[in-house]
Structures are given as structure tokens and as C-alpha cells.
Amino acid sequence: MSTIHSESRIHERYLRHSKKFPNVWCAGCGIGIVLGAIIRAVDSLDLDKNDIAMISGIGCTGRMPVYVDFNTLHTTHGRALAFATGLKLARPGMKVLVVMGDGDALAIGGNHFIHAARRNIELTAIVVNNATYGMTGGQYSPTTPQGAHAATAPYGHIEPPFHISELAVAAGATFVARSTVYHVTELQKFIAHAIQKKGFSVVEAISYCHTTIGRMNRWGKAPDMMRRLKENSITVKQAEGKPEDELVGKIVRGVLTDRERPGYIDLYRQIIERAKAEAEAA
Amino acid sequence: MSPMLMQGDEACAEGAIAAGCRFFAGYPITPATEVAEVMARRLPQVDGFFIQMEDEIASMAAIIGAAVGGAKSMTATSGPGLSLMQENIGYAAMAEIPCVVVDVQRLGPSTGRPTSPAQGDVMQAQWGTHGDHPIIALAPSSVKESFDLTVAAFNFAEKYRTPVILLMDEVIGHMREKVELPDYATVERVERAQTLVPPEWYKPYENYPVDVPPLIPFGEGYRYHITGLHHDERGYPTERADEVNLWLDRVFRKIRRGLSEILLYDADGIDAAETLVVAYGSTARSAHYAVELARKRGRRVGFLKLKTLWPFPEEVVDKAAERIHRVVVPEMNMGQMALEVERVVGRRKVRRVNRADGQLIKPDEILAAIEGMR
Amino acid sequence: MASRIEIRLAGTGGQGMILAGILLADAAVRDGKEVVQSQSYGPEARGGASRAEVIISDAEIDYPKVISADVLLCMSQEACDRYADQMKERRLLILDSNHVSRAPTTEAIRVPITQLAQDATGREITANVTALGLLAGLTGIVSRPSLEAAVRSHVPKGTEGVNLKALAAGFEEAGRVK
């Protein structure tokens, strides 16, 4: 019973009750689970809601901020990280959470994603990877598996997918972790860690869309998708030392990197000091 | 301050600093790069942030984000970059986020000629986004005006909660002139409006009683929602036509009610004129030279220099052209502002003088049109 | 419009024509004149045609470009071929004889400007400043103290002395030519 009480307290505290529920997501969708993990992570860190911004782009995941009682900004498709960069620089004291889908973050917003990681701007990116464009009806996305069927791949998808987390590591993110909406406590833990991390942090949450790509590929209904996440994933530790062909099609969960690099704002503050000193000397 | 030699792009950047701009995001592009270079040097001196983004789309997004955080923000680009920024300019119009977009126009279309002037983005400034919204666009015709109109752009942006486009051109951006800048402490600044209501009563898009509800920066205890979707007074998405119409009415109303201060122009010799020349930007320099030449030859020529291009000053032009048979409209494009002038005064009155070849229109060409030779 | 003087400085990218234009314009500001300076150049940082224009006047300046030059400095053959005929009837054409061999008129001041600069400073790159000294010495468009002040404030730090020497060489040559 205590869990239920604490859950309802969290809902009461973090959801917008003036906003008309139910939400836009399909029954069985994992995006709500990610939302739950985010607000529980925030709650576990005891942060002031006034100091939290949630920014999104366009798509199913893009609709997340409207339901939460933070400072919320629903931007244009792919550009959430660029908007967030401006907000963070204007309000360095705020925790800025950027929620994106895979198409949003990696296709139309791919450039912003790698550059945010490269400059190590102090943002937390949470990418809900549903392997498709759900809102527009299941077209193939940058993370759709090769060979899968999609609304725009009626004969099967010929392109290989991006690996979001590995890309983030390569581009310079300081904390990168991957989990799924089945492993929800793990997901919550990663998100909490990412929020506290200084620098650009990324959490990838795998949450296959059962309504579109799941149905088109006969992957089953929402519970089957959950089972798939459970059975088809292994931890980073378990994956260690395994030959590559054994890992094909597997979801590798866990922390991919947790490292220290100077953050953009800290470095820019030094620029401010130097510029002021030089101006005064002149 | 004592007189000094200054470039138009530089004066624009200094105007931004004087107006209180503390955030700049941009991407290098000729002939606007100098604005970014000056901002990169100047902003940290005043505790501001400069960032070079990965493209113009990101630059426009970043200045909106910074404005949501309460910073006066600006980007600077040229035609190709303005094209890329359009979606987010529309976002700023929809979400009513104050910000300034500088476009130092160069010859287009496409890559065109990067170091050559043009005025080919006039229509893009108003109609570049999808959907309907008003916009404010200002066009300086001197280095000093680049400073003054940048200040005005920031003030209009804050006062009317709207993106403002500063339509410079390569001639104005790159040329150096003697200027005397004011002491920045004396520059009139419009600051972000505050609210008296507590957070639970705050409506960021309230339609009455004011036309421009205050936009409270994120992080100040007023947690609310901003979206590019059509929204209700609280900022939440709406699909109700009545709510869409209330918003639409208000955003047009807020600009319409401000016209008397938004429409900036210089006029001279109009009362006794037989011919009127309507010009803007660097072309206004050629035009005024031509007007003086014509007056020396005994012609009665009125001169109307538009500093505000959008909203188009319909009544100003209408009144100036009332008793005039010939209205000459020189511009470095194939006839964009001429379309607006023709709409107001009638097609038959208008003599267009156009160049879209990267050359500033010469006074002779305008003089010929004044004298009815073309 | 009567007091309007139009000056065109033309050469090759890398010769410092635009800096020369800025120095001349800055000197005019220091003299209390109205001034507009503009330039045109190709996409290259070095090489290609480069041109600076300066309009100096006692009254407000409308049209900011040269209509027909009162003074033209040519530091390359290409510049001379292109601009020598776009001048007023009473005008001053200055050619750097180190770079210009053919001119469409005999009424030109021919001075080995680049050589003069090389001799004065040991650096060819200061030829633009020597040319300015020559131009100012011949025309009196701007005062020498103003031009010296402009040089001091615009040239790269540490090169002020060299550039003032180059400027002086130009003024001296003007005295000889006059």
C-alpha cells in the first residue's frame, strides 16, 4: 500500500491536473512509463519544480511536457536541443531535460544531437526509441531495424539503424545509458544519474511502438512487446566479451560511459572573466 | 561618444549591446559574419553569452530558448540562412517570443553572390513562414540607422512580444561611415513586462484586457506551457476554432494598435511634389541623391524613406501619394516592395526601378524614372 | 554635393587596399569630415581584384559609391585597365609603376610605390600605406596628423613604427613629384 500512496503523491505533485487527461498516447504505449520514470527520478533528487524545464520536439514523445508541472517548452521537430541550449545559457541554474523520439533526435535533429554532445552543454537528453515515426503512422526511422516493415518500407527496410547511445558516446556525451520501458526502475535510476551529471548526458529508453511497427511486423500486442524487451535484452556486463554475431538484435542495457569533461558553461564563464579583464586593461 | 568610423554590421552589434542584448547565437555567413564576430568579443564583456551553433536552424531555435529564459536575444544571417530560420521564426510568432533576427541581404536566389548587395528578402521577411501572423521588419539605410534600428527592433520585440527582422543589405552592412553613437546608458530600453498576478492565475496568452500579456521567463516560479501548436490562454494545445480565432485576433490587433509608433519613416518635400520617390535601405541613398539632382533641375519631387517595411505603412504611402501622378519605387530586386506600393496607390502610378544583379542602383537610373524617361 | 570627393583605391587582394580605404576614411573622420568607405572583393582572401572606395564631403553623403572618381590609385595592371576611364575630367590618377606598365592616358602620376615602401621599411606589404602618404601629400584631402593617428590605431600592434615610416616615404615622394 505504501507504494501506491507514494505513487499518487508523485502524480499529485508533478502532473498538471488542469490539463485534460487522458493523454494522447495509445493504450499500452511506453512513453507514459518513461514519463513516470522521469518524475520519480526528479522526486528522488528533491529538486524544486521551478528550476526544472522540460523541452521537447515533435512526435509522440514531443507531447510529454504538456502533462508535467515544470517549465515546459514544446518546440519544432528536431530542434529541442537547440532551444534547450539557448534556455540553459540564459538560465544556467535550471535543470533542463530534453525529451525526444528517435526520429526527432536522430533524423531531423541528428546534427543538433551530435553537436550538443560535442560541446558538452549541460543538458539531459532522454531519447525514447520506439524505432518508428508513431504519430504519422509508422514510417521507418533512423532506428528501425534492417529488414523490418514500415509504412514507407512495404517491401522491408534496407537501411541499417543508428545506435543512439554509441553515437552519443562517440560524439562526446559525458554520461550515456540505455534501458527499456520494461526495466523501469533501472531506467529511473539512469535518468536520476543523468540529471545530476555535469555536462551532456543521454538516456536511451527503448519502447517499441506496438500500434505501428509492432503491428506491421507481427511483433504482437503491447504485452508481447514488453516480453520482447525483457527477453531480448542483456546487460553491458553480460555482453562483455561476447562475439558480435551473438549480440545481433540484442538490446544491451546499462551505462555506456560515465566520464568527466569540462562543461560548456564552465568554460564560457572563464571566457567572461578573460574578456572582462582584457576590457578593463584596455 | 566622439565621432568614429564604423561598419554597419558593427553598428548593428553595438546597437544590440546598447539595447540590452545578452544572448547571440549564429552561424557564419557573408555578409553578416561581422555581426557575430563583434558579438563574440563584446557579449562576454557584459556577462552575455555568444554561441556559434551548428546551423541557422539551431541559431534561431537557441535565441528563442534564451528569450524564454528572459534574455534579450539576437541572431544574424543572410538570405540562405533566413530561409533556414523560417520555421522557427514562425514558432516565435506563434508562441509570441521576443527576439531579433538580422538579415544582411545579399544577392540571391540560392548562393547567389555572397559579397554583392540585394534587397531580395523583403517578401521573405513577411511571407517566409507558413501560416498567418504579423511581423515587424525594419530597414536601415546608414550605419547610424543600423545602430538605432537595432535598438528599435529590440524594443518592439519586447513591447509587442514578437520576432523582429532587421533587413540590412550588403552595402549598409559592409560600408563604414562616420557615426556618433550615444552613451549607452542614455539609450531607451524596453524591458520585459512583469505581472502582478500570482503563478496560479497567470495566463501567458491571455486575450483580455491587454493585447500583449507579459511573458514571464522560465525559472521564476511561473510554471507554464509554451507550444507551437495553437493554444488556449494558458498555453495548452487547443483544437477549438473559437480559441484559435481569439489568438489570431489578438496577435494582429497588438501590432495594429501599435502602428503609430511601429511605422518609422522620413519624408520630405511631399506637400508640393508632383513626383514621389519611395525607397528603403541602401537604395534610399541613391534615391535621395537622385531626388536632390532632380530638385536642382527644378522638379518638385517628394521623398519617402521607409524604415519600417512590415507591417507595410499603407496609410503613410496612401497619404503621401494622394495628389501625385508618378510614384518611383527603386529597389535591388525584381519588384517586391513595388507590389505593396502598387496595391495601395494603383499600378498605373508606379514606376519601378529594379536591379537584381548585385549592383547598387545608380542615381542616374532613378533620375531617369523621376523625369519620366523610363 | 559640390564638396564631394570620390576616391577609388584599386589593386589585388592582399595588397591592403581595403585597409588603405579604412585609414583614409578614419583620417577624414578625424579631420571632422563626413565620410563613407566601402569595398568590393572576390571570394578569395588573397589574389583577385580588390577595391576600396572612399567618399569625403563637408555635407551629408547620400550615394555611398564612386560615380566617377576624382582620385584613382591603381596598384595593379588589371585595376588600371578596369577603372582608369571611370574618372572625372579634372582628376588625379596615381599608378604604382612597379605593377602598372600601360595606362590609357599620359596624364598620370607614375611612382614606383612598392619599391619606395620596400626601400623605406624593408617590407613590400607596407606599399598601401606609402601609397596613402603619396595620395594625401599630393591632394591634401586629409591632414598628415590625422592620417598618422589613423595608422597608429588601425595597423597590427607592433607594426606602427614600420607603417609610419612607410607613410612618411609617401609624403616625401609627394613633395618631390609636386
Side-chain angles (χ1 to χ4, degrees):
Chain A
M1 278 310 278
S2 68
T3 332
I4 292 167
H5 275 297
S6 98
E7 278 293 293
S8 71
R9 182 189 63 81
I10 286 171
H11 290 175
E12 186 63 39
R13 188 161 176 200
Y14 293 100
L15 296 184
R16 279 183 171 139
H17 301 282
S18 55
K19 177 74 190 86
K20 291 149 256 169
F21 277 89
N23 55 54
V24 296
W25 302 310
C26 307
C29 177
I31 297 173
I33 297 173
V34 179
L35 171 57
I38 292 172
I39 61 177
R40 281 191 299 276
V42 166
D43 190 64
S44 73
L45 299 173
D46 204 23
L47 300 168
D48 184 342
K49 287 190 289 185
N50 290 323
D51 297 333
I52 301 174
M54 185 186 276
I55 303 190
S56 69
I58 297 295
C60 292
T61 299
R63 294 301 185 100
M64 189 192 290
V66 75
Y67 303 113
V68 281
D69 189 20
F70 301 143
N71 302 275
T72 55
L73 186 64
H74 177 214
T75 73
T76 48
H77 196 22
R79 319 303 171 196
L81 282 168
F83 279 79
T85 298
L87 175 64
K88 180 71 184 180
L89 295 178
R91 293 267 161 182
M94 289 186 92
K95 291 278 184 193
V96 180
L97 317 181
V98 186
V99 291
M100 297 169 284
D102 45 289
D104 200 30
L106 271 297
I108 188 166
N111 203 26
H112 312 308
F113 186 76
I114 57 174
H115 285 279
R118 175 184 61 78
R119 63 172 69 97
N120 199 25
I121 179 93
E122 292 86 338
L123 303 171
T124 301
I126 297 154
V127 185
V128 182
N129 181 359
N130 66 1
T132 191
Y133 289 90
M135 190 161 271
T136 48
Q139 297 76 25
Y140 64 77
S141 86
T143 57
T144 300
Q146 208 165 13
H149 289 261
T152 44
Y155 307 108
H157 186 43
I158 55 174
E159 300 174 16
F162 257 144
H163 301 292
I164 296 175
S165 294
E166 284 77 1
L167 181 68
V169 172
T174 51
F175 176 79
V176 179
R178 182 194 285 123
S179 188
T180 82
V181 289
Y182 175 81
H183 305 87
V184 65
T185 49
E186 179 186 75
L187 182 63
Q188 177 191 328
K189 196 181 72 187
F190 290 163
I191 292 170
H193 193 107
I195 293 171
Q196 285 173 295
K197 184 76 185 178
K198 236 175 165 192
F200 187 68
S201 56
V202 178
V203 177
E204 176 184 1
I206 310 260
S207 171
Y208 296 129
C209 173
H210 64 287
T211 305
T212 61
I213 194 150
R215 186 178 46 79
M216 287 176 213
N217 290 283
R218 302 208 168 89
W219 290 345
K221 300 198 160 134
D224 303 312
M225 308 288 278
M226 278 291 176
R227 201 165 298 122
R228 208 181 161 83
L229 293 175
K230 178 188 173 192
E231 289 166 1
N232 205 28
S233 68
I234 57 172
T235 63
V236 170
K237 221 172 204 164
Q238 289 165 338
E240 243 168 52
K242 282 221 164 82
E244 226 170 86
D245 54 328
E246 266 185 54
L247 294 175
V248 172
K250 289 264 187 273
I251 298 165
V252 180
R253 293 171 6 244
V255 175
L256 279 80
T257 191
D258 188 358
R259 56 189 164 183
E260 302 303 322
R261 280 175 67 209
Y264 182 90
I265 291 174
D266 284 347
L267 291 174
Y268 196 91
R269 286 213 168 104
Q270 294 173 22
I271 294 287
I272 289 178
E273 295 307 312
R274 196 180 313 161
K276 282 181 159 175
E278 278 180 25
E280 229 160 80
Chain B
M1 290 190 214
S2 54
M4 60 180 129
L5 189 69
M6 188 174 260
Q7 204 174 30
D9 280 353
E10 212 180 329
C12 166
E14 288 297 332
I17 297 288
C21 175
R22 292 299 177 267
F23 183 85
F24 182 98
Y27 187 79
I29 187 168
T30 304
T33 307
E34 290 86 348
V35 180
E37 289 174 355
V38 174
M39 293 307 269
R41 180 168 50 79
R42 293 284 279 121
L43 273 174
Q45 294 173 352
V46 293
D47 288 310
F49 272 95
F50 167 91
I51 188 166
Q52 186 172 308
M53 296 298 286
E54 49 275 15
D55 57 30
E56 287 90 345
I57 301 171
S59 303
M60 188 64 215
I63 70 165
I64 297 171
V68 167
K72 288 188 182 178
S73 65
M74 179 170 98
T75 186
T77 188
S78 188
L82 189 68
S83 297
L84 287 175
M85 288 177 182
Q86 289 297 343
E87 187 190 12
N88 285 335
I89 292 173
Y91 184 94
M94 172 61 111
E96 299 177 76
I97 311 296
C99 54
V100 174
V101 178
V102 178
D103 173 22
V104 189
Q105 297 169 90
R106 69 189 218 188
L107 185 62
S110 188
T111 313
R113 259 177 37 198
T115 55
S116 298
Q119 296 175 312
D121 303 348
V122 170
M123 283 296 174
Q124 193 189 183
Q126 164 67 81
W127 304 113
T129 70
H130 55 285
D132 292 277
H133 61 83
I135 196 91
I136 297 174
L138 311 175
S141 65
S142 70
V143 172
K144 178 62 170 36
E145 272 184 12
S146 299
F147 180 93
D148 293 340
L149 293 186
T150 303
V151 173
F154 274 98
N155 288 345
F156 289 156
E158 291 297 335
K159 185 158 183 189
Y160 296 98
R161 261 185 79 175
T162 177
V164 177
I165 297 175
L166 188 75
L167 275 178
M168 296 177 62
D169 60 61
E170 191 275 343
V171 173
I172 302 302
H174 272 169
M175 78 183 187
R176 291 176 180 81
E177 267 188 300
K178 185 182 95 171
V179 286
E180 278 188 78
L181 297 184
D183 179 351
Y184 292 3
T186 67
V187 169
E188 194 192 322
R189 297 182 188 188
V190 175
E191 302 301 342
R192 190 74 56 91
Q194 301 293 311
T195 183
L196 297 172
V197 304
E200 56 274 23
W201 293 359
Y202 175 61
K203 291 178 185 168
Y205 298 94
E206 193 162 31
N207 290 310
Y208 297 99
V210 291
D211 299 331
V212 191
L215 179 71
I216 306 305
F218 275 13
E220 295 190 355
Y222 289 72
R223 298 182 306 275
Y224 61 96
H225 190 61
I226 299 176
T227 176
L229 289 164
H230 270 290
H231 42 267
D232 62 19
E233 290 188 314
R234 288 201 174 271
Y236 296 137
T238 182
E239 290 177 8
R240 283 170 47 182
D242 59 333
E243 288 180 332
V244 172
N245 276 312
L246 283 172
W247 175 83
L248 208 56
D249 287 348
R250 182 173 55 75
V251 295
F252 278 93
R253 187 172 70 229
K254 71 180 180 183
I255 301 297
R256 195 172 58 242
R257 286 194 177 159
L259 283 182
S260 62
E261 69 169 10
I262 293 170
L263 298 182
L264 305 172
Y265 58 93
D266 290 339
D268 79 87
I270 285 175
D271 289 345
E274 293 170 333
T275 303
L276 176 68
V277 178
V278 181
Y280 59 94
S282 61
T283 308
R285 306 285 288 253
S286 308
H288 196 252
Y289 192 96
V291 165
E292 291 290 326
L293 283 176
R295 285 172 181 166
K296 279 208 176 105
R297 296 187 189 187
R299 293 187 183 271
R300 288 186 291 169
V301 188
F303 182 61
L304 179 61
K305 183 176 87 175
L306 304 181
K307 299 187 205 174
T308 303
L309 305 189
W310 301 111
F312 184 71
E314 292 173 8
E315 283 176 32
V316 173
V317 171
D318 196 20
K319 193 157 175 290
E322 215 168 22
R323 285 171 290 108
I324 279 167
H325 298 295
R326 180 183 297 133
V327 179
V328 177
V329 185
E331 49 187 339
M332 284 187 286
N333 54 48
M334 293 308 286
Q336 297 193 12
M337 191 52 74
L339 291 169
E340 288 295 299
V341 177
E342 286 169 0
R343 182 172 65 77
V344 173
V345 308
R347 261 182 72 190
R348 265 175 282 173
K349 276 190 184 181
V350 173
R351 299 289 178 280
R352 299 178 177 195
V353 181
N354 302 114
R355 281 194 89 144
D357 59 356
Q359 300 296 312
L360 178 58
I361 297 176
K362 293 187 167 64
D364 281 356
E365 300 170 65
I366 300 167
L367 185 63
I370 292 171
E371 298 192 328
M373 305 298 283
R374 53 185 288 164
Chain C
M1 267 178 247
S3 72
R4 179 182 166 112
I5 299 170
E6 304 186 339
I7 303 131
R8 181 175 273 152
L9 313 170
T12 305
Q15 279 184 320
M17 290 299 96
I18 292 168
L19 176 61
I22 294 169
L23 294 174
L24 187 60
D26 189 23
V29 170
R30 289 166 197 269
D31 283 345
K33 300 281 180 63
E34 294 298 322
V35 62
V36 179
Q37 179 273 333
S38 64
Q39 60 263 310
S40 84
Y41 41 78
E44 316 83 348
R46 295 286 176 271
S50 167
R51 179 184 89 201
E53 295 184 349
V54 182
I55 318 284
I56 299 173
S57 176
D58 292 327
E60 204 173 303
I61 297 164
D62 285 326
Y63 185 64
K65 301 275 182 180
V66 168
I67 296 168
S68 61
D70 296 276
V71 180
L72 171 65
L73 166 73
C74 294
M75 300 278 291
S76 76
Q77 184 64 52
E78 191 196 339
C80 184
D81 295 345
R82 194 156 163 199
Y83 300 117
D85 59 349
Q86 298 173 27
M87 297 189 74
K88 290 199 176 72
E89 269 182 43
R90 290 168 54 85
R91 83 282 191 270
L92 177 68
L93 172 62
I94 303 171
L95 307 175
D96 180 353
S97 57
N98 294 125
H99 293 292
V100 182
S101 51
R102 302 179 309 278
T105 169
T106 52
E107 292 174 47
I109 307 274
R110 291 158 201 273
V111 171
I113 297 170
T114 304
Q115 188 60 50
L116 279 178
Q118 171 73 30
D119 294 346
T121 68
R123 299 166 77 170
E124 253 187 35
I125 198 152
T126 59
N128 59 340
V129 178
T130 299
L132 271 188
L134 176 65
L135 190 154
L138 288 172
T139 61
I141 294 171
V142 292
S143 70
R144 186 163 175 171
S146 292
L147 199 48
E148 286 172 350
V151 167
R152 272 192 290 269
S153 79
H154 285 278
V155 300
K157 275 211 168 66
T159 70
E160 294 91 343
V162 168
N163 277 293
L164 288 172
K165 258 192 215 166
L167 189 70
F171 272 107
E172 277 164 34
E173 183 63 18
R176 274 195 290 277
V177 173
K178 254 184 181 171

